[in-house]
Amino acid sequence: MKSILRIVAALVLVAGMSVAGASSAQASSPKWLSLAGGQAHTCGIRTDHSLYCWGYNAQGQLGIGNTSPAPAPQQVGFSKSWASVSAGTFHTCAIRTSGALYCWGHNAYGQLGTGNTTEQLQPTRVGTSTSWKSVRAGSFHTCATHASGSVYCWGSNGNGQVGDGTTINRATPKKVGASTSWTSVDAGGDHTCARHSSGSIYCWGHNFNGELGVGDTNDRLTPRKVGTSTSWTNFNLGYSHTCARHSSGALYCWGYGDDGELGNGGTSNHMKPTKVGSSTSWISSTSGDDQTCARHHSGAMYCWGYNGYGQVGDGTTVNRLKPTKVGTFTNWTMVAAAGGHTCALNTSGYAYCWGRNDDGDLGDGTNDDRNTPTKITAIATG
């Protein structure tokens, strides 16, 4: 009888440990407010407004004071007042709840906006304004919206992506035109687009692949309106392509299409907005280097384009020319496509990443590529 009791007690103990272990593992999974993907690094703001980054770090783009890669999320400083973050190729920028703007990482073209070209390994303040509303880091330039309604850009400007009418690199924020009616801005590889309060989209910079959507392949040094529509609700830029959602719920893409990133079933470039499928139930989209993802009204997520590292998330490494559903989840709230990887949040606030992972881009503690969404279950403690 004692032996039986010992066995029962042991089973109860093991069961209790299993439940506790499962609870502990669940508790260790951090929850997030937003995510941003760069070329080979990722950053995210947690629910307590602390900022974490992980992945490639040779230029200090993680903001953790060194240049060592981090395969799991590491906290950037000690502040718990971060409001938004954007990751570029080798630099990162973020805005605090105060409205102050900070950038760090690679700075050869002045993309940090600090007035010089010195690399920074930790967040460094951009000017003195506390009225920044949003920031977007491109490949080697950065743009931001101001509370005044103005858009400012800085950094690499060889193709006019700063939008100040020149091709001179800028190390401090430069106002784009005279308008104070901009509502949002995004920075791509070497091009920039912004949405006007009228509902129109304007683009400028590099246009070799038609990424400006103006019907030709000539660069523009100042904003140029995309078509005649005044019904664009949101948009995003990839390295050499652009996508935008229309008020009808339809999604349009244009620019470089060799890997299927335009989602229209072909691999040709398009110099004007081209509709993605027939759905009018898209909510928003995001573009990486050569892949695009979008959230559907159903809560499902679809990705398409280059898939060599599994960044489309459909369990394969086959390029997809049309929107392909990612798993079976229907509770995605945001998605951030990056260089060769993609990350997304669900309604519970949990983060999932997939695709290329050479430098820990996915934050799962390994360097193994993933072709389906993989949950970030822990953060680095030191």
Short mmCIF file of all heavy atoms in Angstrom, two decimals, residues 85-113:
data_model
loop_
_atom_site.label_atom_id
_atom_site.label_comp_id
_atom_site.label_asym_id
_atom_site.label_seq_id
_atom_site.Cartn_x
_atom_site.Cartn_y
_atom_site.Cartn_z
N VAL A 85 8.51 52.74 -32.94
CA VAL A 85 9.86 52.42 -33.38
C VAL A 85 9.82 52.02 -34.85
O VAL A 85 8.82 51.49 -35.34
CB VAL A 85 10.46 51.28 -32.52
CG1 VAL A 85 9.64 50.00 -32.66
CG2 VAL A 85 11.92 51.03 -32.87
N SER A 86 10.91 52.30 -35.57
CA SER A 86 11.06 51.91 -36.97
C SER A 86 12.49 51.46 -37.21
O SER A 86 13.43 52.11 -36.75
CB SER A 86 10.70 53.08 -37.90
OG SER A 86 10.83 52.70 -39.26
N ALA A 87 12.64 50.35 -37.92
CA ALA A 87 13.98 49.80 -38.19
C ALA A 87 14.31 49.91 -39.67
O ALA A 87 13.53 49.50 -40.52
CB ALA A 87 14.03 48.34 -37.75
N GLY A 88 15.49 50.48 -39.96
CA GLY A 88 15.96 50.59 -41.33
C GLY A 88 16.93 49.47 -41.66
O GLY A 88 16.94 48.43 -40.99
N THR A 89 17.76 49.68 -42.67
CA THR A 89 18.72 48.64 -43.04
C THR A 89 19.70 48.39 -41.91
O THR A 89 19.81 47.26 -41.41
CB THR A 89 19.47 49.04 -44.32
OG1 THR A 89 18.53 49.11 -45.40
CG2 THR A 89 20.52 48.00 -44.68
N PHE A 90 20.42 49.42 -41.49
CA PHE A 90 21.38 49.26 -40.41
C PHE A 90 21.21 50.31 -39.32
O PHE A 90 22.14 50.57 -38.54
CB PHE A 90 22.82 49.35 -40.96
CG PHE A 90 23.14 48.31 -42.01
CD1 PHE A 90 23.61 48.69 -43.25
CD2 PHE A 90 22.97 46.96 -41.75
CE1 PHE A 90 23.91 47.75 -44.23
CE2 PHE A 90 23.26 46.00 -42.71
CZ PHE A 90 23.73 46.40 -43.96
N HIS A 91 20.06 50.97 -39.28
CA HIS A 91 19.82 51.94 -38.21
C HIS A 91 18.39 51.83 -37.72
O HIS A 91 17.54 51.19 -38.35
CB HIS A 91 20.14 53.37 -38.68
CG HIS A 91 19.14 53.99 -39.61
ND1 HIS A 91 18.93 53.54 -40.91
CD2 HIS A 91 18.30 55.04 -39.46
CE1 HIS A 91 18.02 54.29 -41.51
NE2 HIS A 91 17.60 55.20 -40.64
N THR A 92 18.14 52.43 -36.58
CA THR A 92 16.83 52.36 -35.94
C THR A 92 16.47 53.72 -35.38
O THR A 92 17.35 54.46 -34.92
CB THR A 92 16.85 51.34 -34.78
OG1 THR A 92 17.36 50.08 -35.26
CG2 THR A 92 15.47 51.12 -34.19
N CYS A 93 15.20 54.07 -35.43
CA CYS A 93 14.73 55.32 -34.83
C CYS A 93 13.46 55.05 -34.04
O CYS A 93 12.69 54.14 -34.37
CB CYS A 93 14.44 56.36 -35.91
SG CYS A 93 15.89 56.94 -36.82
N ALA A 94 13.25 55.81 -32.99
CA ALA A 94 12.08 55.62 -32.15
C ALA A 94 11.66 56.95 -31.52
O ALA A 94 12.49 57.84 -31.31
CB ALA A 94 12.35 54.58 -31.07
N ILE A 95 10.37 57.04 -31.22
CA ILE A 95 9.82 58.24 -30.59
C ILE A 95 9.33 57.90 -29.19
O ILE A 95 8.71 56.85 -28.98
CB ILE A 95 8.65 58.81 -31.42
CG1 ILE A 95 9.15 59.24 -32.80
CG2 ILE A 95 8.00 59.99 -30.71
CD1 ILE A 95 8.05 59.70 -33.73
N ARG A 96 9.63 58.76 -28.25
CA ARG A 96 9.15 58.57 -26.88
C ARG A 96 7.78 59.21 -26.71
O ARG A 96 7.34 60.01 -27.55
CB ARG A 96 10.14 59.16 -25.87
CG ARG A 96 11.39 58.29 -25.71
CD ARG A 96 12.24 58.72 -24.55
NE ARG A 96 13.35 57.82 -24.36
CZ ARG A 96 14.38 58.05 -23.56
NH1 ARG A 96 14.42 59.19 -22.87
NH2 ARG A 96 15.35 57.17 -23.44
N THR A 97 7.11 58.87 -25.62
CA THR A 97 5.78 59.42 -25.37
C THR A 97 5.82 60.93 -25.21
O THR A 97 4.80 61.60 -25.36
CB THR A 97 5.18 58.78 -24.11
OG1 THR A 97 6.10 58.90 -23.01
CG2 THR A 97 4.88 57.30 -24.34
N SER A 98 6.99 61.48 -24.93
CA SER A 98 7.16 62.93 -24.82
C SER A 98 7.14 63.63 -26.17
O SER A 98 7.03 64.85 -26.25
CB SER A 98 8.49 63.25 -24.13
OG SER A 98 9.58 62.82 -24.93
N GLY A 99 7.29 62.83 -27.26
CA GLY A 99 7.38 63.40 -28.60
C GLY A 99 8.81 63.62 -29.06
O GLY A 99 9.04 64.09 -30.18
N ALA A 100 9.78 63.28 -28.23
CA ALA A 100 11.19 63.39 -28.60
C ALA A 100 11.58 62.22 -29.50
O ALA A 100 11.07 61.11 -29.34
CB ALA A 100 12.07 63.41 -27.36
N LEU A 101 12.49 62.48 -30.43
CA LEU A 101 12.91 61.48 -31.42
C LEU A 101 14.37 61.09 -31.18
O LEU A 101 15.23 61.94 -30.94
CB LEU A 101 12.75 62.07 -32.83
CG LEU A 101 13.28 61.25 -34.01
CD1 LEU A 101 12.58 59.91 -34.11
CD2 LEU A 101 13.11 62.04 -35.30
N TYR A 102 14.62 59.77 -31.25
CA TYR A 102 15.97 59.23 -31.06
C TYR A 102 16.30 58.28 -32.20
O TYR A 102 15.44 57.56 -32.70
CB TYR A 102 16.07 58.47 -29.74
CG TYR A 102 15.93 59.33 -28.51
CD1 TYR A 102 14.69 59.78 -28.08
CD2 TYR A 102 17.06 59.71 -27.76
CE1 TYR A 102 14.56 60.58 -26.95
CE2 TYR A 102 16.93 60.50 -26.63
CZ TYR A 102 15.68 60.93 -26.23
OH TYR A 102 15.56 61.73 -25.11
N CYS A 103 17.58 58.28 -32.62
CA CYS A 103 18.05 57.34 -33.64
C CYS A 103 19.40 56.76 -33.22
O CYS A 103 20.13 57.38 -32.43
CB CYS A 103 18.19 58.03 -35.00
SG CYS A 103 16.63 58.56 -35.75
N TRP A 104 19.76 55.60 -33.78
CA TRP A 104 21.04 54.99 -33.47
C TRP A 104 21.41 53.97 -34.55
O TRP A 104 20.58 53.58 -35.36
CB TRP A 104 21.01 54.32 -32.10
CG TRP A 104 19.95 53.28 -31.90
CD1 TRP A 104 20.07 51.92 -32.07
CD2 TRP A 104 18.59 53.50 -31.49
NE1 TRP A 104 18.88 51.30 -31.80
CE2 TRP A 104 17.96 52.23 -31.42
CE3 TRP A 104 17.84 54.64 -31.16
CZ2 TRP A 104 16.62 52.08 -31.06
CZ3 TRP A 104 16.51 54.49 -30.79
CH2 TRP A 104 15.90 53.23 -30.75
N GLY A 105 22.72 53.61 -34.58
CA GLY A 105 23.22 52.66 -35.56
C GLY A 105 24.07 53.30 -36.64
O GLY A 105 24.76 54.30 -36.39
N HIS A 106 24.00 52.75 -37.84
CA HIS A 106 24.78 53.22 -38.98
C HIS A 106 24.43 54.67 -39.33
O HIS A 106 23.27 55.06 -39.28
CB HIS A 106 24.50 52.32 -40.19
CG HIS A 106 25.36 52.56 -41.35
ND1 HIS A 106 24.88 52.98 -42.58
CD2 HIS A 106 26.70 52.45 -41.52
CE1 HIS A 106 25.87 53.10 -43.44
NE2 HIS A 106 27.00 52.78 -42.82
N ASN A 107 25.48 55.45 -39.69
CA ASN A 107 25.23 56.88 -39.89
C ASN A 107 26.11 57.49 -40.97
O ASN A 107 26.35 58.70 -40.98
CB ASN A 107 25.45 57.63 -38.57
CG ASN A 107 24.86 59.03 -38.57
OD1 ASN A 107 23.87 59.29 -39.25
ND2 ASN A 107 25.47 59.94 -37.82
N ALA A 108 26.59 56.67 -41.90
CA ALA A 108 27.51 57.15 -42.93
C ALA A 108 26.90 58.24 -43.80
O ALA A 108 27.63 59.05 -44.38
CB ALA A 108 27.99 55.99 -43.79
N TYR A 109 25.58 58.28 -43.91
CA TYR A 109 24.91 59.25 -44.77
C TYR A 109 24.15 60.31 -43.98
O TYR A 109 23.43 61.12 -44.56
CB TYR A 109 23.94 58.54 -45.72
CG TYR A 109 24.60 57.50 -46.58
CD1 TYR A 109 24.63 56.16 -46.17
CD2 TYR A 109 25.21 57.84 -47.78
CE1 TYR A 109 25.25 55.19 -46.95
CE2 TYR A 109 25.83 56.88 -48.57
CZ TYR A 109 25.85 55.56 -48.15
OH TYR A 109 26.47 54.61 -48.92
N GLY A 110 24.33 60.29 -42.67
CA GLY A 110 23.61 61.25 -41.83
C GLY A 110 22.19 60.82 -41.50
O GLY A 110 21.37 61.63 -41.06
N GLN A 111 21.89 59.52 -41.69
CA GLN A 111 20.52 59.04 -41.49
C GLN A 111 20.04 59.07 -40.04
O GLN A 111 18.84 58.90 -39.79
CB GLN A 111 20.35 57.63 -42.07
CG GLN A 111 21.23 56.55 -41.46
CD GLN A 111 22.48 56.29 -42.29
OE1 GLN A 111 23.19 57.20 -42.68
NE2 GLN A 111 22.74 55.02 -42.55
N LEU A 112 20.95 59.33 -39.10
CA LEU A 112 20.52 59.45 -37.71
C LEU A 112 20.02 60.85 -37.38
O LEU A 112 19.40 61.07 -36.34
CB LEU A 112 21.66 59.08 -36.75
CG LEU A 112 22.25 57.67 -36.89
CD1 LEU A 112 23.22 57.38 -35.74
CD2 LEU A 112 21.14 56.61 -36.94
N GLY A 113 20.31 61.81 -38.27
CA GLY A 113 19.79 63.17 -38.09
C GLY A 113 20.44 63.95 -36.98
O GLY A 113 19.88 64.95 -36.50
#
